[in-house]
């Protein structure tokens, strides 16, 4: 997530970093799901800060012009009047941009305080300008800068009053404590407002960050669900089409020599096709509706089938029967007690399904396909599928070109439970898939079965 550095609020009071102007639309309460902040007037001026700055500049300009005119009518020299007028105009312009250049405003205000000479009435204008500058420093910069300029402003105002009073010590003391008190009050008010602004901006920024993280989590969950559905669709389609193609090829060859066998093969094709179509409708139905039932439990008008549980270990035998019907000489070996975790049973089922699909597609003339499922190790399930078939010839016209998604999906599925999958050729011929799936520890069962069933 990227954040514009110019929009990052500072949450800590007294920080030396800058509280920069932020866009109000970035912290829109409606977009963040927050209650609408109270106070129409405060919200209006928060959205339109230039109105306040313009009004403040106009008031100060009126006061400064009156001060300059009063000085011109008195005994103040023309040079002093011109100097006061220039400083007053500069201060007026700086007040308009006080949110962006508070230090420059404080410097000009200090010069205006220091330029007070006998006959001048500009000290009050300089004090007002310094109060505005200290408030802006505390709110838009930091408390440290505000306190520093509070000290500088008090000293400068005292020096200006001392020079105007012709080095009168009593005037200097009164000016020091009087101006110092005003400047300290302005700084404290600015720090209080600045702390509140920084705190609220930090809350809004945190809410915006949480909103972005919420959207990103939703996107990640959507991508994860799409990947899961893609794996399920691949398992269904790859298994079904592979078996159907093998059966159809066998039926074609036996159509003239053994019509009865060809009819049995096509019956298997029809059965597998219907089962696969039902499975696909169930998976795709998850994307559109939670159930295929309408009101009262009746089937929905869309014709969607009701949702059904995922395959379990008990359905492994019918799965292997379908591959045996397609011509694979499979031997199944199961060791140990089958765990009750449905996730483990589904993972074992899908791993065996994908491995046998690859064996049916790519292994030529296999004489033996071994499927071994071992549950004897506590906390670990091992699945080994090996065949002794030859690899598919590269120049074969009937070569089945794979995309590699099957092995990728198998590894992703097993990796969800912290397991691993090793797949590769074996010597002298054949292919081997070895999956290790961590499971919840379960006690060894004396009735654990050890079976080796040729199918």
């Amino acid at each position: 997530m990227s954040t514009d550095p110019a929009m990052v609020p500072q949450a800590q009071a007294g920080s030396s970093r800058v509280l920069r102007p932020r866009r109000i639309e970035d912290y829109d309460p409606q977009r963040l799901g927050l209650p609408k902040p109270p106070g129409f007037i405060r919200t209006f001026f928060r959205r339109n800060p230039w109105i306040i700055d313009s009004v403040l500049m106009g008031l100060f300009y009126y006061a400064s012009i009156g001060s300059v005119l009063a000085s011109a009518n008195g005994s103040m020299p023309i040079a002093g009047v011109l100097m006061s007028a220039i400083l007053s105009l500069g201060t007026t312009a700086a007040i308009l941009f006080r949110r962006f250049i508070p230090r420059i405003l404080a410097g000009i205000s200090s010069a205006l305080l220091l330029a007070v000479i006998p006959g001048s009435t500009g000290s009050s204008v300089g004090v007002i300008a310094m109060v505005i500058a200290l408030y802006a420093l505390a709110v838009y910069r930091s408390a440290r800068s505000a306190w520093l300029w509070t000290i500088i402003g008090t000293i400068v105002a005292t020096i200006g009053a001392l020079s105007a009073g012709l080095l009168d010590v009593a005037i200097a003391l009164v000016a020091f404590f009087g101006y110092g008190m005003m400047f300290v009050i302005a700084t404290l008010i600015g720090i209080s407002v600045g702390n509140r602004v920084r705190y609220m901006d930090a809350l809004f920024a945190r809410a915006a960050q949480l909103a972005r993280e919420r959207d990103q989590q939703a996107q990640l969950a959507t991508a994860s669900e799409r990947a899961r559905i893609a794996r399920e669709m691949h398992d269904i389609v790859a298994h079904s089409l592979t078996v159907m193609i093998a059966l159809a090829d066998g039926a074609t060859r036996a159509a003239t020599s053994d019509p009865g066998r060809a009819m049995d093969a096509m019956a298997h094709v029809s059965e597998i096709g219907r089962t696969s179509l039902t499975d696909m409708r169930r998976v795709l139905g998850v994307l559109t509706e939670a159930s295929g039932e309408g009101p009262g439990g009746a089937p929905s008008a869309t014709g969607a089938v009701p949702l059904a549980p995922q395959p379990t270990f008990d359905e492994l035998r019918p799965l292997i029967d379908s591959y045996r019907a397609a011509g694979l000489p499979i031997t199944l070996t199961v060791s140990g007690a089958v765990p009750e975790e449905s996730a483990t049973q589904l993972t074992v089922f899908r791993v065996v399904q994908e491995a046998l699909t690859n064996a049916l597609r790519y292994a030529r003339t296999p004489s033996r396909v071994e499927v071994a499922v071992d549950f004897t190790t506590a906390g670990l399930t091992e699945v080994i599928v090996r065949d002794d078939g030859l690899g598919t010839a590269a120049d074969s016209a009937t070569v089945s070109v794979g995309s590699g998604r099957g092995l990728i999906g198998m590894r992703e599925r097993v990796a969800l439970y912290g397991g691993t999958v090793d797949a590769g050729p074996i010597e002298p011929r054949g292919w081997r898939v070895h999956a290790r799936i961590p499971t919840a520890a379960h006690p060894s069962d004396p009735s654990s079965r050890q079976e080796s069933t040729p199918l």
Side-chain angles (χ1 to χ4, degrees):
M1 296 179 290
S2 61
T3 304
D4 186 356
M7 302 302 162
V8 178
Q10 309 303 323
Q12 296 180 352
S15 172
S16 60
R17 295 190 293 176
V18 175
L19 176 65
R20 298 188 183 279
R22 68 280 182 206
R23 299 173 299 182
I24 189 64
E25 58 269 18
D26 291 341
Y27 306 145
D28 185 8
Q30 184 176 3
R31 185 180 69 85
L32 299 177
L34 300 176
K36 183 179 179 180
F40 169 77
I41 297 177
R42 178 178 295 178
T43 302
F44 175 79
F45 285 115
R46 182 181 177 90
R47 291 178 179 271
N48 303 276
W50 290 102
I51 296 178
I52 297 179
D53 295 340
S54 299
V55 171
L56 192 62
M57 181 194 69
L59 294 176
F60 183 82
Y61 176 76
Y62 177 79
S64 62
I65 289 298
S67 175
V68 171
L69 292 178
S71 300
N73 293 331
S75 59
M76 185 177 182
I78 298 299
V81 173
L82 291 177
M83 181 181 298
S84 297
I86 293 173
L87 290 175
S88 297
L89 291 176
T91 307
T92 303
I95 287 177
L96 182 62
F97 302 97
R98 65 190 179 89
R99 301 173 189 268
F100 306 97
I101 54 172
R103 292 190 179 92
I104 295 178
L105 174 60
I108 297 177
S109 302
S110 299
L112 188 60
L113 288 172
L114 194 61
V116 175
I117 59 178
S120 173
T121 60
S123 60
S124 59
V125 177
V127 170
I128 294 174
M130 180 57 72
V131 167
I132 296 174
L134 293 176
Y135 177 87
L137 282 168
V139 174
Y140 303 109
R141 285 301 179 265
S142 65
R144 183 182 303 173
S145 297
W147 285 120
L148 176 62
W149 280 100
T150 297
I151 298 173
I152 295 175
T154 303
I155 295 174
V156 169
T158 303
I159 294 175
L162 189 63
S163 62
L166 299 177
L167 304 179
D168 190 334
V169 177
I171 294 178
L173 292 176
V174 172
F176 180 82
F177 289 105
Y179 292 148
M181 184 63 67
M182 285 188 292
F183 294 161
V184 167
I185 292 175
T187 301
L188 290 176
I189 294 175
I191 291 175
S192 177
V193 175
N195 287 347
R196 182 181 182 278
V197 171
R198 277 182 275 269
Y199 180 73
M200 294 301 297
D201 285 346
L203 290 181
F204 279 117
R206 179 59 176 166
Q209 179 184 359
L210 291 176
R212 288 192 297 269
E213 292 178 355
R214 176 198 60 197
D215 296 339
Q216 291 176 348
Q217 290 295 332
Q219 294 175 359
L220 291 175
T222 301
S224 177
E225 186 64 14
R226 286 176 177 173
R228 185 189 68 81
I229 294 175
R231 288 195 299 267
E232 297 295 332
M233 290 294 296
H234 175 272
D235 293 339
I236 294 171
V237 174
H239 158 250
S240 304
L241 292 182
T242 300
V243 174
M244 291 169 67
I245 291 172
L247 289 173
D249 290 342
T252 301
R253 297 189 186 96
T256 56
S257 60
D258 193 347
R261 185 178 179 184
M263 291 178 61
D264 291 340
M266 294 309 298
H268 278 351
V269 170
S270 178
E271 179 183 357
I272 293 174
R274 290 190 180 93
T275 302
S276 302
L277 180 60
T278 301
D279 292 340
M280 289 182 61
R281 292 174 66 187
R282 284 170 178 160
V283 173
L284 295 177
V286 176
L287 301 177
T288 56
E289 57 184 341
S291 175
E293 298 182 356
S300 62
T302 59
V305 297
L307 299 180
Q310 291 278 27
T312 62
F313 189 80
D314 293 334
E315 299 180 43
L316 188 61
R317 287 181 176 277
L319 174 73
I320 292 179
D321 287 339
S322 65
Y323 284 102
R324 180 177 180 275
L328 281 182
I330 304 176
T331 299
L332 172 65
T333 302
V334 180
S335 304
V338 180
E340 297 180 357
E341 293 84 359
S342 58
T344 302
Q345 297 186 29
L346 174 62
T347 304
V348 171
F349 180 91
R350 293 305 188 193
V351 169
V352 173
Q353 183 183 51
E354 179 61 31
L356 293 181
T357 299
N358 291 338
L360 185 61
R361 293 180 64 183
Y362 305 119
R364 292 188 302 154
T365 64
S367 62
R368 184 177 179 85
V369 178
E370 299 177 355
V371 178
V373 184
D374 186 5
F375 298 110
T376 58
T377 304
L380 182 66
T381 297
E382 293 190 76
V383 180
I384 300 177
V385 180
R386 66 162 64 91
D387 65 77
D388 58 355
L390 297 174
T392 305
D395 57 351
S396 173
T398 61
V399 62
S400 178
V401 180
S403 63
R405 297 184 183 274
L407 287 176
I408 294 175
M410 186 192 306
R411 289 190 172 97
E412 290 178 349
R413 183 186 295 276
V414 174
L416 288 176
Y417 304 97
T420 59
V421 174
D422 297 324
I426 56 176
E427 296 295 339
R429 52 184 284 183
W431 189 270
R432 178 176 179 268
V433 175
H434 185 191
R436 301 175 182 86
I437 309 167
T439 57
H442 54 278
S444 58
D445 187 354
S447 62
S448 298
R449 63 183 183 274
Q450 172 82 24
E451 59 175 338
S452 179
T453 308
L455 301 178

